[in-house]
Structure formats: structure tokens, C-alpha cells
Amino acid sequence: MTSTTFLRPWQALTSAATATAALLVAFVLAPAALASTRATTALGSESNLIATFRTAFVSYWHTGNADFGAELRPVVDYWFRYHVAKALLAAALLAVLIALGVLSWQAFLRTSGLRAAALAASGVLSTALAVVSLAAVMANIHGMAAPFGSLLPMLFGKPNASAGPLPDTLAQIRQHLADGQNSPALDVIRSDYVKFHAVMAIEGTLVVLVLVLLSVLLWRGFTRTDRSERRPRRLLAAYGVFTPLLALTLAVIVFANATTAAHPLPGLESFFAGGW
């Protein structure tokens, strides 16, 4: 093996690691800038976003209309663009992390000693970050599908809104839900709440199916690998156990979201009681 041939895998690993670092920084810092327009630049600040949304939401509720209007519409549109940017960056990060993990484990199987230990650590870290990135992709997809619904949690938490019109507005919504009253605004709230959870259930189901297929392929690879190849077999077995466990965890989340989408009233009542 020439030195040039030896360096190529390490150059690929270095490139993948550099791309991972760059995408991590972009995922944290870039979405607000990418989503902003001249009219919504201030929304890049979390405190401004929360304050603006709360004020716009109160106005929206009291108009009684289904249309978001001139005050709330820019906030919802900004939040949609924000989730688009986040989803694209998270998807790119996921792809790079999968490549980094594959390269790390391939190199691990060809070497030994401290270098192998470093490559194993790289493979494990890449896998963990890939799972987080997958969760980010999924979260931002259903955030894109229901941007208004994904804004609703900002009505609660810090900064606490114990004064002003927001507490009275939330009390009115709780009363409407308890009494079974309907209004155009409440119908939109309910619709986006259902959509938020339904999209999560659908995309989660697709990912579970992919993970189940991957599990089958991993165990098939394990059974077809010669017993003398201990390291490859151990690696395949480790991922063969991890992947179905991940699928099972996600299946529980899918079931919870599907149940909420099918029967939204208890969830909505709990949500507006501050149970998010």
C-alpha cells in the first residue's frame, strides 16, 4: 500500500469531520438569518419572537377570524421559513454524519491500537449525533407542516406572562374547550395541533420502517460474515441491537402522536392548562 493510498481514507475522514463542524455551527446560527426578511429581522431574537407572537396571538384570538391577519401572518411565515432552513441543514448534517460514521468504522476495521480506539470513538460519536440530527429533521418537518401549531408552546414558559391580556386569553380558550364551544380561531388552533401530531406520526412510521429494514440487513450481514471475522461481526451485532431499540423507541413516540391526532381534545385541554 502506497502512502498516497493510505492517506486517502484519512483525508475523507478529515473532510467529513470538517463538514460536520461547519454544519453544526450553521444549524445553530444560520436559520434565523435565512428566515428573516426586512420586515421580520427582529424575530431573529428569541425574546422578540416570543413577545411578538404572544401579542399577535391575543389580537388574533379576539378578532375571532380564521385568517391570521396582518399581525400574526408574518410571524407564522417567518417560523415556517425558519423550520425549512433548520430541516435542510439538519438533513445535510445527517448525511455527512452517516458518511463520517461509515468511514470511521471502515477505517477501524483496517487498523488497530490507539488509532483503532480513536476511530471507534469517532464512529460512536457520529452515530449519536446522527440520531440527534434525525430527530432534528423530523421535528422541523412537522414544524414546517404546522408552523402555527409549533409556535403555540411559546405562549407558556419564560418569560412568564402573569400580567396583561395573555392570561385572560388563555383562560377563554380553556373555557371554550371545556364547554365544547367552537370559533374560527379555535378551529385553526385545533387543526394545526392535529396536523402537528399527525405529521409526526406519519414521518415517524416511515423512519421506523427504514430502521426495521436496516436491522434485517445488519443481521443478515452478521450471519453471512465468517466467524473468524470477529471485529466485523461484533460491529454488525452492536448496530443490529441498537437499530431495533431505536425503532422501538420511535414506535412508542409514533403511537403517542397518532393517538393525540385522533383524539386531540384531551391533549389540547392539557396543553392550554400549561401541560406542554
Side-chain angles (χ1 to χ4, degrees):
M1 179 184 294
T2 66
S3 59
T4 301
T5 304
F6 178 78
L7 286 172
R8 283 175 185 168
W10 292 97
Q11 290 171 344
L13 275 166
T14 302
S15 298
T18 302
T20 296
L23 284 167
L24 279 170
V25 172
F27 180 79
V28 174
L29 300 179
L34 293 172
S36 295
T37 62
R38 287 185 179 181
T40 59
T41 301
L43 298 181
S45 164
E46 183 179 4
S47 59
N48 286 341
L49 175 62
I50 293 172
T52 303
F53 172 65
R54 289 178 176 180
T55 300
F57 180 84
V58 169
S59 298
Y60 169 69
W61 174 257
H62 287 289
T63 63
N65 298 323
D67 185 74
F68 290 140
E71 194 172 357
L72 183 57
R73 170 56 66 186
V75 184
V76 175
D77 289 346
Y78 165 82
W79 202 232
F80 169 76
R81 295 191 299 269
Y82 181 87
H83 280 298
V84 170
K86 279 270 191 181
L88 291 174
L89 288 168
L93 181 59
L94 176 60
V96 171
L97 284 166
I98 291 173
L100 179 59
V102 170
L103 289 169
S104 296
W105 290 121
Q106 285 178 341
F108 165 79
L109 294 175
R110 295 193 300 266
T111 189
S112 59
L114 290 176
R115 183 171 287 171
L119 287 165
S122 174
V124 170
L125 180 60
S126 298
T127 300
L129 289 176
V131 172
V132 175
S133 297
L134 175 61
V137 171
M138 295 175 67
N140 284 285
I141 286 176
H142 59 258
M144 288 164 48
F148 178 53
S150 67
L151 279 165
L152 292 176
M154 293 185 187
L155 297 172
F156 306 93
K158 296 181 179 180
N160 293 324
S162 57
L166 181 59
D168 290 338
T169 299
L170 296 177
Q172 289 177 27
I173 295 173
R174 288 193 294 269
Q175 192 63 50
H176 274 62
L177 290 170
D179 295 343
Q181 299 180 49
N182 287 320
S183 71
L186 186 57
D187 287 343
V188 173
I189 291 171
R190 184 185 293 109
S191 174
D192 249 41
Y193 182 80
V194 169
K195 187 188 299 183
F196 184 87
H197 290 283
V199 171
M200 177 59 200
I202 293 168
E203 64 180 352
T205 300
L206 294 175
V207 174
V208 167
L209 292 174
V210 171
L211 291 173
V212 169
L213 176 59
L214 180 58
S215 299
V216 171
L217 294 176
L218 286 166
W219 284 111
R220 182 177 294 177
F222 174 83
T223 57
R224 293 181 177 180
T225 302
D226 192 273
R227 290 181 179 272
S228 62
E229 301 287 338
R230 293 184 178 180
R231 290 174 78 183
R233 280 172 63 87
R234 288 174 182 170
L235 183 59
L236 288 167
Y239 277 91
V241 171
F242 171 74
T243 304
L245 287 176
L246 181 60
L248 181 61
T249 302
L250 185 54
V252 172
I253 297 172
V254 166
F255 177 78
N257 279 273
T259 302
T260 300
H263 306 284
L265 183 57
L268 266 175
E269 289 180 329
S270 175
F271 174 80
F272 279 103
W276 176 261

